[in-house]
Amino acid sequence: MSTMLPTMKNGPLLLLAVLQAGCLAESEPDEVAVKCGPRDLTPECCLKQNPGQWERCTGSTEMAAAAKRAPSLGMKAVAAGTAATVAVMIPQIGSAERRGAELAADLRSKIEKAIAQCTRKADQKINDYHFKGKSPSAELCNQVKVGDRTTWAAYLGLFKHEQAWPCLREALNKLISPARYRLRPRFQFNRKSGKWVFMEEDWVSQIVTEQGWKGLAGTIEPDIIILDEKGIIVRVYDLKFPCPETSPANWTRYTEGDWRYDTQGEVYYRILNVTPQLVSPRWGVEQIELE
């Protein structure tokens, strides 16, 4: 099933006006960042604090309707018929000794081809909507789009991710069981066990309800994980949408905290014990080696 892009007769999405009346009106920008995490954008903040309220956060009734028809896993999108199946397979971080068989080469090739195709489709659809098929220039990418700090590059990256989820879900469901993958899974360090553990969606919601988004500080959220038959993570993929498209895909480097000087990829590698792969519209799935 394909998703419908927002179509507004009066031009671009009314994000700025809506967000000023929503998240930005409630606190200063720095406070929003603390609540939502350093990687979140203002639109994403609004959606996370108001799950499913696309119309409020984007100003688009069409986008709200599309989200209801094909919501993302990150927004409680597991269909009722598959929720029980997915819940049974709890993602586990395995050591080299515990990890099961890698994906068969042909299956891995099909999965990565599907991921790359969905990434390209999402990139093209959002560019078509905003720029009539053209790719944004480097100058435009660096211009502020929302508020006083969200650039066009960040803004487009957010909505290209959202556009990709339904396509990814449909494509992966044709190749593997819904229990064998997760989109936007979140992991937290358990101080009692000294191990990183997968966070079920209800757990995440409870923390956000009780502590605000700051309660999830220190957690990680890669875009896609693939599991073996035992539920152990064997593949990790992270989607990037460089702006302009000619720029290389890369991971953000943390500038503070426990992960200071590390890239997102390095953090995923150490925590999940699997080498993550970058995925971008132009370069597809990049086979990266980390040590």
Side-chain angles (χ1 to χ4, degrees):
M1 179 173 61
S2 62
T3 59
M4 181 183 74
L5 282 172
T7 54
M8 298 181 67
K9 297 180 180 179
N10 296 325
L13 299 177
L14 303 179
L15 272 170
L16 179 57
V18 174
L19 292 171
Q20 285 178 333
C23 285
L24 289 181
E26 297 172 2
S27 58
E28 294 300 318
D30 288 343
E31 293 177 2
V32 172
V34 170
K35 290 182 180 180
C36 294
R39 293 180 60 191
D40 292 328
L41 307 175
T42 305
E44 191 173 22
C45 160
C46 183
L47 287 168
K48 286 180 175 178
Q49 292 184 347
N50 304 277
Q53 296 187 32
W54 277 83
E55 185 171 358
R56 172 182 175 182
C57 294
T58 68
S60 169
T61 56
E62 291 87 353
M63 202 163 192
K68 289 181 180 179
R69 287 195 297 274
S72 70
L73 281 176
M75 296 181 186
K76 300 184 179 181
V78 180
T82 62
T85 302
V86 174
V88 170
M89 188 76 80
I90 304 299
Q92 302 176 58
I93 300 170
S95 62
E97 294 75 21
R98 289 185 60 208
R99 190 176 305 137
E102 251 285 10
L103 293 175
D106 60 338
L107 177 58
R108 172 180 164 183
S109 177
K110 291 177 181 178
I111 287 175
E112 294 187 348
K113 182 179 179 180
I115 292 174
Q117 287 178 339
C118 286
T119 303
R120 293 190 186 100
K121 287 180 180 179
D123 182 72
Q124 188 61 53
K125 285 185 178 181
I126 296 301
N127 282 348
D128 285 348
Y129 172 69
H130 283 289
F131 312 112
K132 298 181 179 180
K134 297 181 180 180
S135 178
S137 65
E139 181 181 6
L140 179 63
C141 290
N142 292 323
Q143 290 180 8
V144 173
K145 166 63 176 173
V146 178
D148 61 359
R149 59 175 180 163
T150 302
T151 63
W152 266 102
Y155 172 91
L156 292 170
L158 166 64
F159 285 102
K160 287 175 181 179
H161 272 85
E162 293 301 328
Q163 182 68 28
W165 304 135
C167 176
L168 287 166
R169 204 165 51 250
E170 180 180 8
L172 292 175
N173 282 348
K174 293 178 180 178
L175 297 172
I176 55 178
S177 163
R180 293 280 304 277
Y181 74 89
R182 291 288 179 116
L183 302 182
R184 300 173 69 176
R186 189 172 290 276
F187 297 83
Q188 183 182 60
F189 183 71
N190 185 310
R191 297 187 182 281
K192 291 183 178 180
S193 66
K195 298 179 180 180
W196 284 83
V197 295
F198 171 73
M199 301 179 71
E200 290 286 3
E201 192 170 334
D202 289 345
W203 182 9
V204 174
S205 298
Q206 181 180 349
I207 290 176
V208 173
T209 298
E210 296 176 352
Q211 305 176 39
W213 202 250
K214 64 181 179 181
L216 295 177
T219 62
I220 64 169
E221 187 186 51
D223 286 325
I224 307 169
I225 58 172
I226 307 295
L227 314 175
D228 67 10
E229 294 180 352
K230 299 178 181 179
I232 297 176
I233 302 169
V234 293
R235 304 295 296 174
V236 178
Y237 300 96
D238 205 33
L239 277 55
K240 297 296 181 184
F241 295 92
C243 189
E245 65 178 8
T246 53
S247 296
N250 53 51
W251 280 298
T252 302
R253 188 172 296 277
Y254 294 94
T255 58
E256 57 184 20
D258 294 338
W259 301 329
R260 188 177 183 183
Y261 306 127
D262 291 331
T263 67
Q264 292 170 322
E266 290 168 340
V267 171
Y268 292 162
Y269 173 67
R270 286 207 307 272
I271 292 175
L272 301 178
N273 203 30
V274 173
T275 301
Q277 306 302 323
L278 275 172
V279 188
S280 64
R282 188 180 181 89
W283 310 109
V285 177
E286 300 183 58
Q287 303 302 325
I288 295 175
E289 296 297 331
L290 295 175
E291 296 182 358

